[in-house]
Amino acid sequence: MNKAKASSEKSVSASSRTISLLSQLEKINSDSVLGESDSARHVTSRILHLVQSQEKTRKEMTSKGSTGIEIILSTLENTRDPQTILNILNILIEIVSVGGGRRASVLVTKGGTQILLQLLLTASKDSPPNEELMVLLHTLLAKVGPKDKKIGVKARINGVLNISLNLVKHNLQNHRLVLPCLQVLRVYSTNSVNAVSLGKNGVVELMFKIIGPFSKRNTSLMKVALDTLAALLKSKTNARRAVDRGYVQALITIYVDWHRHDSRHRYMLIRKGVLQCIKSVTNIKLGRKAFIDANGMKILYNTSQECLAVRTLDPLVNTSSLIMRKCFPKNRLPLPTIKSAFHFQLPVIPASGPVAQLYNLPPDVDDVVDESDDNDDAETESEIETEIDDDKDQHFKNDDIETDINKLKPRQELGRSIEELKMYEQFFPELSENFQEWDLVSKEPKPFVPDANLSGPIVVPTASEEHSAEAKPSTKGIALKECSPLLTEEYNRRPVFLELPKKDNMKSSSLHQQNDQRNMLPSCQCLSQEIVKGLDRISLQNSAKNDQYYGTGCVVEKESKAGITTLASSKPFEHVSPCGGSLFEGSSVQLGKLCCTGVDSEEEEDSRSSSSGEHATLQISDVSPVHDCDLYLEMVKNTKSIPEYSEVAYPDYFGHIPPPFKEPILERRYGVQRTKICQDIERLIYQNDIIDRVVYDLDNSSFSVPEEADVLKFNSKFESGNLRKVIQIRKNEYDLILNSDINSNHYHQWFYFEVSGMKTGIGYRFNIINCEKSNSQFNYGMQPLMYSVQEALRCRPCWTRVGTDICYYKNHFSRSSIAAGGQKGKSYYTITFTVTFQHKEDVCYFAYHYPYTYSTLKMHLRKLESMHNPQQIYFRHDVLCKTLAGNSCPLVTITAMPESNYYEHIYQFRNRPYIFLSARVHPGETNASWVMKGTLEYLMSNSPNAQSLRESYIFKIIPMLNPDGVINGNHRCSLSGEDLNRQWQNPNPDLHPTIYHAKGLLQYLAAIKRLPLVYCDYHGHSRKKNVFMYGCSIKETMWHTSVNAASCDLMEDPAYRALPKILSHTAPAFCMGSCSFVVEKSKESTARVVVWREIGVQRSYTMESTLCGCDQGKYKGLQIGTRELEEMGAKFCVGLLRLKRMSSPLEYNLPSNLLDIENELIESSCKVTSPTTYVLDEDEPRFLEEVDYSAESNDEDVELADNAGDYEATNQDDGLSDRDSTRIHLS
């Protein structure tokens, strides 16, 4: 008790002493009486003693409300007594030495920087200058300077820049003085104007007198000198001076010397300092050239490889990687032109925009070459000081957010006359149909069985169901024959042909069989180990029953009967190309290669004993109930593509079933991107090891596929395919180049191609080298998709996520300014992944996401139409319009049939609210089609909820807004070369017919006062996880601007949040937290905003589905699949049903939280994000390697930590990350 009391008394005593001493010092300052210097010296000495001995004193002097710092600084400014000055400087050093940067900031805000600089100027006039004073002054300035953003300007204005420099020049051997002087020079050099000024006075040459080869002496001085030099060399002027004096070679020599001698890695910071200097000097072209000439690439490559084994040396490896990537000579993309390999002449050329520029380019212009680096050093000195105003508002401001309240307020503008809109009346027969000729009177609904082979209703696959073909038989259909294992093995082993009949024979009730065994292979045994080149294409003959439903699995039969697809031999193999296949005449269609090697040796032995002359029948089942192989081929024949495709990809023919296993988001191996970059750098260092051989080329019509057995064969000449060129780099490594969207010179992301000729047990590396987005979910666990024909023949026809060592990073291929929209110096990005194939001589397909072709959509719609119950479901399939290529744009109407043709039932039928849905305006967002498939199948199902939904609404659905883009493998655009989702404000009927007429349908509904209750456009998102919605809200937009929403006197119904909120409760993949309801200027011509603003639909949405996976809810940590996507489409329908019930809360007992939207809106905080797929909305957690995960890391100027720590993802796009977005509380 006594000790505590004594301690308390001591503390109080110390505090009172400090206050007393400061009061005395203040009195001395105010009196300014001669002879008071002794008193000031005595008081400051006592304060120094207290500050050195007690942390409480240091805290008191910088605490809020304390005048201690002002008194000390005032004394420092007014006194002329050297000892008093030294005491005060020591006091200030003690105060700012601990407590982080806050205390230094206090000193800056009190004007301490200016006083110290003035004192430095005064002290420099002494001859010789007081060494102790200079050491203390520079030590204090080095600590305070980084907290004063204007110190560079202040130092230049006060004329003290060269004082520190001269002190170093004249005292090189006085390390005690030189060290703090260098620290201050480093602070000064962060200002580019100061760096240039110091450079002119010889500071760069001075630094090279201090730094040198390995030595254990003066390492602290060496480290500070290197840091100072690295800051100085960021100036282009200083960098050129260093190059001219040969310092690049000197830096490399110094680095190698320290690398060799620092065997115990005690001086890693010095080694890193040398690398930072090299990194700074190579920011200019001359520096990069000097680095290459000095053999810097090979030297840094070798040293970094030697550092890989020691994890603590990762900062050295990372910095070396940055330097080598930056210095890697920019390569021209190996293409004749960056425009698409396919040409389509537009009926009308736009007056302006990128398409107009493309058409106006002179024919002899090289649009691939990048001219940006040529003028690098000819630029005038642009290092102009940018003043930073401390009072400037640093808060986030998104200039893209619409701030004009008049533009935000929805205003119904039809834009077209009523007479003109009457053309759309034909698409709404349900509004005038009286059903008098229909026999609708029925006391109870009759179950509908469309086909004897159909064993049950359409079943919507949901992600909660686990399907396993081996665990239980399918209940979706019945097999035509029992599967014979022996014959399955035989079928897997040998190639077979299906012959397409001519058009006049299409309706034949039976199929002609070719029994001539001479056309079959003479021996099954000869096919057991390798593919026979002449039989690697098959054509397919249509069944007479186009609506024949196929059941589960791949079934092979010995017998062939009428109405069943048969397999028979066809043309002699000599006339069939091993990779391309000759075109069939007329309307015939070809399938891609069929693998025909033996399944395994045991199966081969069994197969040899079976009859080789019996025909086999292939059945696909457990695919969707709306998949029909033969019907698909019939649809393909009427699909018009620009390249006039004649081949059919096996995955589209066989169909896809979700795999029975979960596919988790891939866990990324540490250092994988760094390893890939090193392998890329090896291309320059070991050029003799590079094969550099073209193995696939769409631009060369006479190109022939290599015949070598160890070279992979590629193909993309089928619907939705995209692969332009393939170059073999090493034996098992290939560079792949994607095709631009037609009538465009960019948008490279979607890929879909075939690979064959592989071997097992080998890792094949694929590099897609002309991607354009600055980051990708491939960096965060997403994998590409692969479809194996061998697996499909084993009753596993499914797309699966594959690939290891996946990463996405900026490469050394330059984008021309023409390709980059006028921007110079842009680079392409690489998606790289490694695949080990399971089956020898398989035929595999790779895709960016689950393919869904236009022909698949037509097949699905035909099957839905043939399978629905016309007594229960009103289903119409119309053609909205023709596309530029002449393909039909489908329009689907779904609702429930009226209960009878009585007036009240017809009245209820006609007055149901409309729901308007659309999808696939962007061809590469195939997940939107899978979601739409789930919606369509749910709407057509026999479940009570689906019937209730049909009785509640009339659905108008455009399931594919951009058929031409989908067919031709585009990623973003239609054949017009434009993003159709940016044409809704003023669509051109000649260039954008689908948008023009889709908008016309909505304008017609507005004209007849039948606005849709909901409009939703299905999309895919390449940068974010989960499923979420973008909507439109005036209030939420205004809350994110400088305009006060309350002052706008806005009254807004929060019902626009109801549907997303419902989905967040009912759909496992849906995430309310990712939704945004902000209206942005850049989105004013999108469907969502135009339908909201011009048509007047309050609930106008874009629903975005991830291409990767989920990070919340039931599917957290899993990649998304078609099962989950289709479930989302079905859950969207369930959400609409609940939305309907919410309008009658007295009739239905719903959770109150679903109705309490307003309170949630007020209390929640909304993130400012940009809904565009081009803005990087990072939603990822922190990770370890910045260089490993940042696609931009080769030109980032981020200082790496001294050892591996946590780094944030870089965000180089024009938007902020979710994490960085300002969160504004709505009130």
Side-chain angles (χ1 to χ4, degrees):
M1 182 70 180
N2 291 336
K3 286 184 179 180
K5 184 176 180 180
S7 175
S8 175
E9 290 176 354
K10 184 178 180 180
S11 175
V12 172
S13 176
S15 175
S16 60
R17 284 204 305 268
T18 304
I19 295 173
S20 173
L21 290 171
L22 288 172
S23 299
Q24 293 179 40
L25 191 60
E26 185 177 21
K27 187 173 184 300
I28 293 171
N29 291 337
S30 60
D31 290 347
S32 300
V33 180
L34 292 175
E36 292 293 331
S37 58
D38 289 342
S39 300
R41 189 183 310 136
H42 174 71
V43 172
T44 54
S45 176
R46 293 181 62 187
I47 294 174
L48 175 61
H49 174 73
L50 287 174
V51 167
Q52 288 175 332
S53 59
Q54 296 182 11
E55 169 63 16
K56 182 176 177 61
T57 303
R58 295 193 288 270
K59 285 184 178 179
E60 281 183 356
M61 295 190 66
T62 56
S63 63
K64 188 175 181 179
S66 172
T67 58
I69 293 295
E70 288 97 324
I71 296 171
I72 293 293
L73 289 176
S74 175
T75 306
L76 181 64
E77 189 175 18
N78 296 321
T79 187
R80 296 293 179 267
D81 178 59
Q83 188 58 48
T84 302
I85 293 174
L86 293 177
N87 287 343
I88 292 175
L89 290 176
N90 278 308
I91 290 170
L92 294 176
I93 290 172
E94 288 291 335
I95 289 174
V96 301
S97 294
V98 292
R102 191 190 66 81
R103 295 180 183 178
S105 298
V106 171
L107 193 59
V108 171
T109 57
K110 303 296 184 182
T113 308
Q114 183 67 28
I115 295 172
L116 292 175
L117 292 174
Q118 283 292 336
L119 180 60
L120 177 61
L121 182 63
T122 303
S124 66
K125 297 176 181 178
D126 296 340
S127 183
N130 186 323
E131 179 180 329
E132 183 66 22
L133 178 59
M134 286 298 181
V135 169
L136 294 177
L137 263 175
H138 282 85
T139 301
L140 188 55
L141 280 170
K143 293 179 180 295
V144 173
K147 295 299 178 182
D148 190 344
K149 296 178 180 179
K150 291 186 176 181
I151 190 170
V153 180
K154 293 175 181 176
R156 191 167 65 250
I157 292 175
N158 284 281
V160 299
L161 279 182
N162 291 323
I163 293 175
S164 304
L165 178 59
N166 291 329
L167 283 173
V168 175
K169 284 182 178 179
H170 298 117
N171 298 275
L172 278 176
Q173 304 306 316
N174 187 348
H175 297 159
R176 180 171 177 268
L177 176 60
V178 169
L179 184 63
C181 288
L182 289 177
Q183 291 172 333
V184 171
L185 287 175
R186 180 179 60 186
V187 174
Y188 291 163
S189 299
T190 56
N191 179 291
S192 57
V193 177
N194 290 350
V196 173
S197 176
L198 290 169
K200 291 177 180 178
N201 290 314
V203 69
V204 175
E205 294 81 356
L206 182 62
M207 292 302 103
F208 276 92
K209 291 181 180 180
I210 300 174
I211 66 175
F214 178 80
S215 172
K216 293 183 179 181
R217 295 184 300 171
N218 305 321
T219 54
S220 297
L221 186 65
M222 176 81 169
K223 174 65 174 66
V224 174
L226 286 169
D227 291 344
T228 305
L229 180 60
L232 289 164
L233 292 177
K234 289 180 181 178
S235 159
K236 290 183 179 179
T237 303
N238 291 339
R240 283 193 286 270
R241 182 176 287 109
V243 172
D244 292 341
R245 286 161 176 73
Y247 290 153
V248 175
Q249 175 71 66
L251 286 169
I252 293 174
T253 303
I254 292 172
Y255 179 72
V256 171
D257 189 66
W258 281 87
H259 173 79
R260 289 175 178 171
H261 290 90
D262 185 23
S263 58
R264 304 183 70 176
H265 312 305
R266 292 180 175 178
Y267 305 106
M268 190 189 73
L269 294 182
I270 291 178
R271 293 158 66 182
K272 184 185 170 188
V274 180
L275 288 176
Q276 292 291 351
C277 294
I278 297 174
K279 179 183 171 186
S280 296
V281 79
T282 52
N283 282 332
I284 63 171
K285 182 181 177 182
L286 284 175
R288 294 191 289 274
K289 184 178 183 301
F291 178 80
I292 295 291
D293 293 343
N295 201 24
M297 292 289 285
K298 191 169 186 177
I299 291 172
L300 281 197
Y301 173 81
N302 291 333
T303 55
S304 62
Q305 292 299 302
E306 293 169 7
C307 294
L308 286 176
V310 184
R311 187 71 172 267
T312 56
L313 297 182
D314 274 359
L316 301 182
V317 178
N318 293 343
T319 308
S320 297
S321 176
L322 295 178
I323 296 168
M324 289 186 287
R325 293 179 70 187
K326 182 164 50 177
C327 295
F328 199 116
K330 290 290 183 182
N331 288 357
R332 171 197 175 99
L333 202 64
L335 291 175
T337 175
I338 53 174
K339 291 183 289 188
S340 173
F342 308 132
H343 177 70
F344 176 79
Q345 183 62 42
L346 294 176
V348 179
I349 307 300
S352 60
V355 179
Q357 296 173 9
L358 202 67
Y359 271 84
N360 292 328
L361 277 178
D364 56 342
V365 168
D366 186 352
D367 60 355
V368 184
V369 67
D370 176 30
E371 70 286 354
S372 62
D373 214 27
D374 297 337
N375 301 322
D376 180 80
D377 297 314
E379 297 175 0
T380 56
E381 188 64 56
S382 60
E383 292 145 337
I384 301 172
E385 170 72 9
T386 55
E387 306 294 340
I388 301 177
D389 187 356
D390 289 335
D391 298 328
K392 183 179 179 180
D393 184 13
Q394 298 294 328
H395 291 297
F396 168 79
K397 181 182 179 182
N398 187 345
D399 293 331
D400 192 31
I401 295 180
E402 183 59 72
T403 58
D404 189 340
I405 188 68
N406 294 320
K407 290 183 179 180
L408 281 174
K409 288 182 178 178
R411 57 190 189 284
Q412 197 174 84
E413 296 178 355
L414 296 182
R416 296 160 72 178
S417 66
I418 299 296
E419 289 72 20
E420 187 180 357
L421 291 174
K422 282 184 179 179
M423 63 182 290
Y424 298 107
E425 186 176 352
Q426 61 179 309
F427 297 109
F428 297 91
E430 64 273 8
L431 296 180
S432 57
E433 178 64 66
N434 57 22
F435 296 96
Q436 294 305 310
E437 298 180 1
W438 297 61
D439 183 16
L440 299 177
V441 180
S442 176
K443 295 182 180 179
E444 58 182 7
K446 296 178 181 178
F448 177 64
V449 182
D451 195 295
N453 291 329
L454 194 62
S455 63
I458 299 174
V459 179
V460 179
T462 62
S464 60
E465 299 173 3
E466 294 294 336
H467 297 282
S468 175
E470 298 174 0
K472 62 178 182 178
S474 170
T475 59
K476 295 182 181 178
I478 60 173
L480 300 181
K481 291 286 182 180
E482 291 298 322
C483 179
S484 168
L486 185 63
L487 288 172
T488 303
E489 294 162 9
E490 181 180 359
Y491 176 75
N492 284 339
R493 208 170 49 76
R494 71 179 170 189
V496 283
F497 277 67
L498 294 174
E499 187 181 29
L500 260 178
K502 301 198 174 183
K503 286 187 178 179
D504 54 357
N505 293 328
M506 285 293 181
K507 298 182 180 180
S508 172
S509 61
S510 63
L511 299 178
H512 172 64
Q513 288 186 329
Q514 293 184 346
N515 294 317
D516 186 357
Q517 299 304 318
R518 291 174 299 176
N519 288 336
M520 297 296 290
L521 288 174
S523 171
C524 292
Q525 186 172 359
C526 69
L527 299 173
S528 60
Q529 295 298 328
E530 58 179 327
I531 194 166
V532 176
K533 296 178 181 178
L535 297 176
D536 57 2
R537 298 270 166 200
I538 67 176
S539 62
L540 293 128
Q541 184 177 19
N542 282 10
S543 169
K545 293 186 178 180
N546 287 332
D547 60 344
Q548 173 65 49
Y549 174 65
Y550 286 90
T552 313
C554 302
V555 182
V556 180
E557 302 179 32
K558 290 185 179 181
E559 300 181 31
S560 172
K561 295 188 178 181
I564 301 175
T565 304
T566 60
L567 301 178
S569 63
S570 185
K571 297 184 178 181
F573 62 84
E574 293 87 349
H575 302 293
V576 185
S577 165
C579 190
S582 60
L583 298 181
F584 279 34
E585 296 181 0
S587 60
S588 62
V589 183
Q590 302 174 41
L591 267 180
K593 286 185 180 178
L594 178 66
C595 50
C596 56
T597 57
V599 178
D600 50 45
S601 58
E602 292 80 9
E603 292 178 354
E604 289 168 12
E605 292 298 327
D606 293 337
S607 298
R608 291 188 188 109
S609 63
S610 65
S611 172
S612 63
E614 296 173 287
H615 300 300
T617 305
L618 173 66
Q619 248 181 266
I620 306 299
S621 73
D622 209 20
V623 188
S624 166
V626 291
H627 188 87
D628 184 320
C629 304
D630 292 334
L631 181 57
Y632 181 81
L633 289 181
E634 183 179 337
M635 297 297 102
V636 167
K637 289 185 298 182
N638 297 319
T639 297
K640 300 174 182 177
S641 62
I642 302 308
E644 298 182 351
Y645 292 133
S646 62
E647 299 173 17
V648 176
Y650 271 93
D652 303 323
Y653 170 73
F654 283 145
H656 158 77
I657 59 171
F661 48 83
K662 296 179 180 178
E663 297 180 294
I665 290 174
L666 184 67
E667 185 175 347
R668 183 170 172 137
R669 180 171 59 84
Y670 183 87
V672 60
Q673 180 166 306
R674 190 172 57 197
T675 302
K676 298 299 180 182
I677 292 169
C678 286
Q679 291 173 2
D680 288 351
I681 292 168
E682 288 172 1
R683 299 188 188 191
L684 181 68
I685 299 174
Y686 306 112
Q687 297 184 20
N688 293 334
D689 296 341
I690 304 303
I691 299 174
D692 198 26
R693 177 189 182 187
V694 177
V695 296
Y696 181 72
D697 192 356
L698 280 185
D699 292 290
N700 185 356
S701 58
S702 60
F703 181 81
S704 59
V705 177
E707 297 291 339
E708 289 85 343
D710 58 346
V711 178
L712 293 180
K713 281 75 176 175
F714 294 83
N715 182 36
S716 62
K717 299 174 183 176
F718 46 79
E719 186 176 350
S720 294
N722 190 317
L723 180 63
R724 182 171 186 168
K725 191 172 186 176
V726 181
I727 302 171
Q728 186 181 18
I729 300 300
R730 299 179 178 94
K731 183 178 180 181
N732 300 314
E733 181 180 354
Y734 297 84
D735 278 358
L736 282 60
I737 301 175
L738 304 181
N739 196 21
S740 303
D741 285 5
I742 293 176
N743 277 315
S744 171
N745 55 20
H746 53 303
Y747 299 116
H748 308 102
Q749 187 166 335
W750 167 257
F751 58 86
Y752 183 18
F753 56 88
E754 171 194 295
V755 178
S756 58
M758 66 285 292
K759 297 179 180 179
T760 58
I762 295 174
Y764 292 91
R765 178 182 173 184
F766 300 97
N767 311 307
I768 300 174
I769 63 173
N770 64 330
C771 301
E772 294 169 323
K773 289 192 176 183
S774 61
N775 215 332
S776 168
Q777 285 290 321
F778 282 115
N779 272 341
Y780 305 103
M782 186 168 84
Q783 295 174 282
L785 286 147
M786 188 185 83
Y787 191 104
S788 165
V789 176
Q790 282 273 25
E791 287 294 301
L793 296 177
R794 287 169 165 79
C795 308
R796 295 185 289 271
C798 59
W799 287 97
T800 55
R801 302 275 187 173
V802 298
T804 57
D805 295 348
I806 301 172
C807 51
Y808 185 95
Y809 58 91
K810 183 177 283 188
N811 61 34
H812 56 274
F813 291 101
S814 60
R815 293 168 63 187
S816 66
S817 59
I818 297 174
Q823 300 180 64
K824 295 183 177 181
K826 290 285 185 178
S827 294
Y828 286 105
Y829 293 79
T830 291
I831 300 171
T832 181
F833 56 92
T834 301
V835 175
T836 302
F837 296 98
Q838 296 181 4
H839 306 291
K840 181 182 179 182
E841 296 296 335
D842 197 357
V843 177
C844 294
Y845 292 80
F846 290 93
Y848 179 67
H849 198 66
Y850 300 93
Y852 191 102
T853 65
Y854 172 68
S855 298
T856 300
L857 171 66
K858 291 194 296 181
M859 175 193 65
H860 284 168
L861 292 179
R862 178 75 67 85
K863 291 296 294 183
L864 287 172
E865 185 172 11
S866 67
M867 296 164 66
H868 83 281
N869 184 343
Q871 289 184 312
Q872 287 186 347
I873 303 175
Y874 179 93
F875 179 93
R876 282 184 59 88
H877 177 194
D878 297 304
V879 175
L880 175 63
C881 64
K882 292 290 187 179
T883 65
L884 291 178
N887 293 293
S888 300
C889 179
L891 171 65
V892 175
T893 305
I894 301 174
T895 188
M897 292 293 287
E899 187 175 339
S900 73
N901 54 14
Y902 295 156
Y903 171 78
E904 56 270 23
H905 293 153
I906 300 299
Y907 180 84
Q908 190 276 339
F909 173 87
R910 293 179 179 177
N911 285 277
R912 294 168 185 166
Y914 275 95
I915 303 292
F916 203 108
L917 306 177
S918 60
R920 206 69 184 281
V921 70
H922 294 144
E925 296 169 9
T926 58
N927 47 357
S929 282
W930 289 99
V931 176
M932 180 58 76
K933 178 176 181 286
T935 295
L936 288 169
E937 291 188 9
Y938 185 90
L939 290 175
M940 297 295 288
S941 68
N942 292 337
S943 71
N945 280 341
Q947 178 64 16
S948 177
L949 187 63
R950 291 191 295 265
E951 292 171 353
S952 301
Y953 300 113
I954 300 174
F955 288 85
K956 285 290 181 185
I957 302 174
I958 306 177
M960 192 171 284
L961 277 167
N962 191 353
D964 289 345
V966 172
I967 293 166
N968 294 287
N970 283 6
H971 171 66
R972 189 82 177 174
C973 301
S974 68
L975 293 185
S976 70
E978 297 168 297
D979 182 349
L980 291 183
N981 202 36
R982 296 298 186 274
Q983 311 302 325
W984 278 79
Q985 263 190 330
N986 189 27
N988 185 309
D990 296 318
L991 294 176
H992 325 116
T994 60
I995 304 302
Y996 180 82
H997 293 296
K999 185 177 181 181
L1001 293 176
L1002 289 159
Q1003 289 171 324
Y1004 176 78
L1005 287 174
I1008 64 173
K1009 311 301 181 185
R1010 292 295 301 272
L1011 277 179
L1013 179 69
V1014 171
Y1015 170 78
C1016 189
D1017 192 20
Y1018 292 2
H1019 281 255
H1021 205 293
S1022 66
R1023 302 285 184 84
K1024 298 182 72 173
K1025 291 183 170 64
N1026 310 310
V1027 181
F1028 50 94
M1029 276 181 160
Y1030 294 123
C1032 302
S1033 164
I1034 302 177
K1035 272 196 172 184
E1036 294 200 37
T1037 303
M1038 300 307 292
W1039 266 315
H1040 294 300
T1041 66
S1042 57
V1043 180
N1044 188 344
S1047 66
C1048 298
D1049 195 25
L1050 291 174
M1051 295 297 293
E1052 186 176 42
D1053 185 355
Y1056 63 88
R1057 274 181 164 256
L1059 183 57
K1061 183 62 179 176
I1062 291 170
L1063 292 176
S1064 70
H1065 283 263
T1066 58
F1070 195 88
C1071 177
M1072 187 69 186
S1074 297
C1075 296
S1076 173
F1077 303 92
V1078 174
V1079 179
E1080 294 160 304
K1081 297 174 185 176
S1082 61
K1083 311 301 180 301
E1084 63 182 4
S1085 58
T1086 61
R1088 166 178 62 99
V1089 177
V1090 170
V1091 173
W1092 171 72
R1093 180 183 291 167
E1094 295 184 20
I1095 308 299
V1097 179
Q1098 183 192 25
R1099 295 183 176 93
S1100 179
Y1101 306 105
T1102 297
M1103 186 163 74
E1104 301 272 0
S1105 300
T1106 179
L1107 291 163
C1108 178
C1110 299
D1111 60 9
Q1112 54 86 46
K1114 177 180 176 181
Y1115 304 130
K1116 182 177 182 179
L1118 298 178
Q1119 295 185 77
I1120 203 158
T1122 57
R1123 185 184 289 123
E1124 290 79 18
L1125 292 169
E1126 291 185 50
E1127 179 195 54
M1128 186 64 236
K1131 293 294 186 182
F1132 181 83
C1133 296
V1134 175
L1136 291 174
L1137 187 59
R1138 299 191 72 177
L1139 183 68
K1140 172 71 174 178
R1141 292 172 178 173
M1142 281 181 62
S1143 62
S1144 305
L1146 297 178
E1147 182 181 353
Y1148 299 94
N1149 293 322
L1150 288 181
S1152 59
N1153 62 332
L1154 283 180
L1155 298 174
D1156 195 14
I1157 303 295
E1158 179 70 32
N1159 289 340
E1160 179 177 326
L1161 172 62
I1162 298 301
E1163 295 172 2
S1164 67
S1165 59
C1166 299
K1167 290 176 284 188
V1168 181
T1169 58
S1170 180
T1172 177
T1173 54
Y1174 287 109
V1175 173
L1176 176 59
D1177 292 328
E1178 288 294 354
D1179 58 350
E1180 303 306 325
R1182 296 169 66 89
F1183 46 73
L1184 290 177
E1185 305 166 273
E1186 178 172 10
V1187 67
D1188 223 32
Y1189 283 81
S1190 170
E1192 294 275 3
S1193 58
N1194 64 327
D1195 58 3
E1196 281 299 299
D1197 200 25
V1198 180
E1199 298 293 329
L1200 298 174
D1202 293 339
N1203 45 44
D1206 286 341
Y1207 297 100
E1208 288 287 341
T1210 56
N1211 183 353
Q1212 291 298 314
D1213 248 333
D1214 53 349
L1216 291 180
S1217 69
D1218 288 348
R1219 233 178 356 258
D1220 295 334
S1221 299
T1222 304
R1223 301 181 64 85
I1224 303 176
H1225 290 274
L1226 309 182
S1227 58

